[in-house]
Each structure stands twice: as structure tokens, then as C-alpha cells.
Amino acid sequence: MGYNELLKDLDPAASVQAAGIRRGYGGPPARTVSVTSGLARLRCASLLKPLYAWVSAARIPDADQWRRHAEPAVVVSSNADTLNLWLAVGPRVILDDLRQRTGVAWSPPNGDPSRFGSVEVAADEVATAYAVLAQAAVAGDRVAETILGWMRQVSASQAFGVREAVRSPGAGVKSGWYGAPDETCLRTHTVAVLPRGGTRVAVAVGMTALPYTDLREREAYQERVGKGLPMEGEHEKVAGTLLRELMVTTLEELGHFRDGPDRAR
């Protein structure tokens, strides 16, 4: 199924993005794909947590302190631990370091700088940053290697079935979800990193913001969020199928499945 088929019946209020990169010395020619429907930039805080953890390591002298916050930020998507890294290093420093390492320039959120989740990004930017992270890991960057290892530990309950959909049980995955009280859409997003051996990597990103306009359902959703209850099931119902299809289609467009079996370790 191609992108056109996936997106043709979207609600006019929906925003969807997908992007992928396949590259690496000794492999097929480098290739990128991307598609955007709706807003050009979206908030997807959880997808940025591993990247924030990666660059913050060099700015926190105490390695144990860094790991104490970075690991739960990646593995269980802890907002409190991400915020600790974000404020300890500083938003502008983190984003400047990411720009230096990946070439991707993101801006601090307007207003309250403590709102790390308000950084707006495009899917192709996220894919580019993760491709750099993945290739740094296979080239000997121990922190990048640790981050990808943590991404492989992200539980199935937080992965929206992406590993199974892309036929890669060893993939590094980071997913996230949110629906703010002032939003009429639920945001659900994921990134998968699939090493292919050597310096070859494939990265796929899916980002959705799908309408959730029924007032009673939105009120119930916000009540559950306020109580700290898990909401993955609600996001699965609204966006799970589309998100997985976006990821599979992106990897198909990259030629990933034609390259042979998954070589992730």
C-alpha cells in the first residue's frame, strides 16, 4: 500500500507525516523518502528524548547522574527525568549540540523554556537525526550505542506493535502519545532504527495528529491523563493501524525489505 492510498481518506483536520532514510557504506545507494499531509511541523516530545539523552551526556560530568535520568527517559519515556536533563544542560545548549552533530536545527519552545515537549519538528528531520545517531553508534560512539540499546528495551506496551509490523524484533523503537486539553487531535508517533550490519542503517518515522473531537470522549481522556493512567490503548484505537502502515510503507519505499532479513542485534 502506497502513501496515497493511506492518506486519501484522512479527515481534513488530521496531520500525518512519515519519513525514512537508508544509507551506509557498502550497502545500496543512500535513499530518503517522506510525505506530509496537514501541518508541516508537529510536536512529538517522546521521539526527541533519546536524542536529548545522547547529547546531554557530554555536558553532565557525573556519568552516574546522567544515566540515572537518561535511561528512564528513553526506556519508559519518563517526563520527569527528561526534564531534569533538559534543565540541567539547558534547552539552547542541547538543541545547539544536536545541530552541530546532526545538521538538524530545532528551536526552543516559545514562552516557558521548561516545556521540552513543545519543540516542533518534521518527520524528515527526526529521521536524519536518528540516522546520524545510529551510524555514530556503529562507528564507536559508546553513548550512542547505549542509547540504541535502551531503545531496544522499550517494552511492547509502548511500541504500538511497530517491531512486529516491520518484521524486526531487534529494532530500536521509541514511541509517544499525547493530547493536550486545548487540542482537538490525539498525537501518536514512533521511530524505528534498524541496523543492517556494518555502517548500514535504516530509519523510519511516523507522526500522526488525528481528530478526537467528541467532547465527552475528550473529557474522559483528560480525566484519565490527569490521574496518570496509561493511555496507549486509546491511542492505539485512534492511530495504531495507520501508524504501523506508515512505517511499513516507508520501509517498502526505501527498499528495506528487499535487502534481505533484518540484521539487527
Side-chain angles (χ1 to χ4, degrees), residues 15-95:
S15 291
V16 171
Q17 295 192 22
I21 293 178
R22 180 192 67 181
R23 68 187 187 193
Y25 178 79
R31 188 169 185 176
T32 63
V33 297
S34 65
V35 65
T36 297
S37 178
L39 295 175
R41 307 187 75 77
L42 297 171
R43 285 180 285 169
C44 57
S46 292
L47 300 196
L48 307 186
K49 291 174 181 177
L51 300 173
Y52 295 162
W54 177 37
V55 298
S56 66
R59 299 285 184 172
I60 298 177
D62 186 334
D64 290 336
Q65 177 190 354
W66 171 79
R67 187 183 186 102
R68 188 163 59 249
H69 297 293
E71 185 170 6
V74 176
V75 178
V76 298
S77 210
S78 168
N79 287 328
D81 288 289
T82 305
L83 183 59
N84 186 286
L85 297 174
W86 180 255
L87 294 179
V89 175
R92 292 190 180 277
V93 175
I94 285 178
L95 296 177

Side-chain angles (χ1 to χ4, degrees), residues 85-109:
L85 297 174
W86 180 255
L87 294 179
V89 175
R92 292 190 180 277
V93 175
I94 285 178
L95 296 177
D96 283 348
D97 284 354
L98 273 172
R99 179 179 55 80
Q100 290 289 336
R101 294 195 193 189
T102 69
V104 176
W106 289 322
S107 300

Side-chain angles (χ1 to χ4, degrees), residues 54 133 136-138 140-150 152:
W54 177 37
L133 170 70
V138 298
D141 182 330
R142 298 297 296 275
V143 174
E145 185 178 4
T146 296
I147 297 295
L148 288 181
W150 289 339
R152 287 190 284 271

Side-chain angles (χ1 to χ4, degrees), residues 21 56 78 80 98 130 155 179 182-183 192 257 263:
I21 293 178
S56 66
S78 168
L98 273 172
Y130 271 96
S155 69
D182 60 344
E183 295 179 319
F257 299 117
R263 298 175 188 173

Side-chain angles (χ1 to χ4, degrees), residues 207-243:
M207 296 161 46
T208 68
L210 303 183
Y212 196 67
T213 55
D214 184 278
L215 291 178
R216 296 178 68 179
E217 289 186 356
R218 287 172 61 193
E219 289 174 358
Y221 176 95
Q222 291 303 327
E223 182 179 355
R224 287 176 58 84
V225 169
K227 293 178 179 179
L229 298 174
M231 299 302 297
E232 287 88 349
E234 198 65 21
H235 285 260
E236 166 63 32
K237 181 177 71 175
V238 173
T241 298
L242 175 59
L243 196 63

Side-chain angles (χ1 to χ4, degrees), residues 94-179:
I94 285 178
L95 296 177
D96 283 348
D97 284 354
L98 273 172
R99 179 179 55 80
Q100 290 289 336
R101 294 195 193 189
T102 69
V104 176
W106 289 322
S107 300
N110 293 327
D112 185 354
S114 70
R115 296 184 63 83
F116 69 87
S118 295
V119 176
E120 294 186 342
V121 303
D124 59 345
E125 296 170 341
V126 177
T128 295
Y130 271 96
V132 175
L133 170 70
Q135 290 194 299
V138 298
D141 182 330
R142 298 297 296 275
V143 174
E145 185 178 4
T146 296
I147 297 295
L148 288 181
W150 289 339
M151 289 176 66
R152 287 190 284 271
Q153 294 176 33
V154 170
S155 69
S157 64
Q158 291 193 8
F160 292 103
V162 167
R163 292 189 182 98
E164 294 77 11
V166 303
R167 305 173 228 164
S168 181
V173 171
K174 188 75 187 79
S175 301
W177 54 264
Y178 196 58

